[in-house]
């Protein structure tokens, strides 16, 4: 029996491990002050894509058994700033259950007075409160909370060892990328939901059908489908989206960010048959 729940997870996991091996290589061998900084700059966007895969993993674990899942989550923690069960508690048991109600949503885009947060305000604030909110949700789910807290201790201990060995390389190869990736993860939620007051899943998410974006993020652009059935494996989201497309307004399709926005400039998005092009291209 294969270790993987879904065969399609094999290649992405291999890539994540290769990236982690490169991180460790830079950490242990870099002697120039500028190399760790350059490494941070080069991998900001790719590690942002890895955040999407960590998100998928916390919805549908990639391995059948707990031990390989925990080991993968240590790698994800160093790459994305989101450790074991942090996103499961905050996002799966929190945001997914409450995102249609801004008074309850763990990733709410409204201020308390009902006005809409700006991108930076939302991303910075929600990144800072992500772990406390995960802990708060975890109080209602003790088993998941124990994994979250236990693996948090492991992650902090490992990071501490890295800083003890070489604080400078640990700062630029691990800690700062973790912080930036957490910010990017939160920002992506804003990008998918801001301004959408709705009671139906098909009306409450922006969708991105750009092929390159979905290749690198595991079909995260099919976001209405993801919220409609969040237990569906990432590889099945395009098929589910096709079933829901007739109920998704054309205004809820948007373009991807950098670098994908630079490609396919005449037709970045393939809209369902019969839908109007919201960008007017």
């Amino acid at each position: 029996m294969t270790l993987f729940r879904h065969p399609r997870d094999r290649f992405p996991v291999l890539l994540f491990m290769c990236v982690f091996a490169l991180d460790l290589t830079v950490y242990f061998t870099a002697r120039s002050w500028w190399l760790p900084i350059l490494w941070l700059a080069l991998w900001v966007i790719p590690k942002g894509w890895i955040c999407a895969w960590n998100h998928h993993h916390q919805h549908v674990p990639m391995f059948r058994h707990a031990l390989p899942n925990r080991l993968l989550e240590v790698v994800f923690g160093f790459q994305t700033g989101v450790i074991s069960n942090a996103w499961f508690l905050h996002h799966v048991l929190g945001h997914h259950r409450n995102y249609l109600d801004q008074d309850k949503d763990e990733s709410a885009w409204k201020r308390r007075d009902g006005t809409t947060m700006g991108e930076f305000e939302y991303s910075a604030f929600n990144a800072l409160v992500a772990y406390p909110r995960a802990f708060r949700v975890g109080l209602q789910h003790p088993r998941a909370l124990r994994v979250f807290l236990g693996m948090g201790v492991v992650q902090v201990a490992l990071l501490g060892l890295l800083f003890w060995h070489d604080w400078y390389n640990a700062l630029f190869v691990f800690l700062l990328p973790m912080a930036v990736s957490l910010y990017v993860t939160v920002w992506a939620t804003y990008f998918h939901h801001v301004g959408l007051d709705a009671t139906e899943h098909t009306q409450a998410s922006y969708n991105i059908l750009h092929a390159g974006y979905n290749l690198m993020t595991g079909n995260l652009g099919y976001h209405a489908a993801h919220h409609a059935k969040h237990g569906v494996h990432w590889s099945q989201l395009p098929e589910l989206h096709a079933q829901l497309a007739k109920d998704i307004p054309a205004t809820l399709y948007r373009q991807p960010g950098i670098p994908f926005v630079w490609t396919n400039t005449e037709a970045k998005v393939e809209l369902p048959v019969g839908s109007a092009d919201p960008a007017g291209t």
Side-chain angles (χ1 to χ4, degrees), residues 221-254:
Y222 298 98
H223 214 70
H226 170 61
H227 271 277
K229 292 185 178 180
H230 67 83
V232 168
H233 189 254
W234 60 267
S235 63
Q236 300 169 319
L237 289 174
E239 180 181 352
L240 179 57
H241 174 86
Q243 298 171 18
L244 301 173
K246 66 181 184 302
D247 298 319
I248 300 175
T251 53
L252 296 188
Y253 292 90
R254 64 183 355 179

Side-chain angles (χ1 to χ4, degrees), residues 62-75:
M62 294 183 176
F63 292 102
R64 294 181 181 275
H65 305 290
L67 180 58
N69 281 324
R70 299 296 86 80
L71 293 174
L72 176 62
E73 288 155 11
V74 169
V75 173

Side-chain angles (χ1 to χ4, degrees), residues 196-228:
L196 299 180
D197 271 318
T199 57
E200 299 293 334
H201 295 306
T202 52
Q203 315 285 315
S205 298
Y206 287 103
N207 301 275
I208 301 168
L209 304 190
H210 187 285
Y213 175 88
N214 284 306
L215 175 65
M216 293 301 179
T217 65
N219 295 322
L220 191 64
Y222 298 98
H223 214 70
H226 170 61
H227 271 277

Side-chain angles (χ1 to χ4, degrees), residues 106-126:
E106 281 73 12
S107 297
W109 45 266
K110 282 186 179 181
R111 304 184 184 96
R112 290 185 178 180
D113 63 4
T115 57
T116 301
M117 295 183 184
E119 286 185 43
F120 176 77
E121 175 190 2
Y122 171 91
S123 302
F125 174 75
N126 280 287

Side-chain angles (χ1 to χ4, degrees), residues 99-165:
Y99 84 113
L100 298 177
D101 185 344
Q102 285 297 290
D103 291 330
K104 298 179 180 179
D105 186 8
E106 281 73 12
S107 297
W109 45 266
K110 282 186 179 181
R111 304 184 184 96
R112 290 185 178 180
D113 63 4
T115 57
T116 301
M117 295 183 184
E119 286 185 43
F120 176 77
E121 175 190 2
Y122 171 91
S123 302
F125 174 75
N126 280 287
L128 288 172
V129 300
Y131 276 88
R133 286 178 174 176
F135 177 79
R136 185 180 65 190
V137 174
L139 294 176
Q140 305 300 317
H141 304 275
R143 184 176 178 181
L145 181 61
R146 286 195 294 271
V147 174
F148 170 65
L149 294 176
M151 292 304 296
V153 171
V154 171
Q155 198 88 42
V156 170
L158 292 173
L159 185 61
L161 285 174
L162 292 170
F163 266 85
W164 173 78
H165 178 263

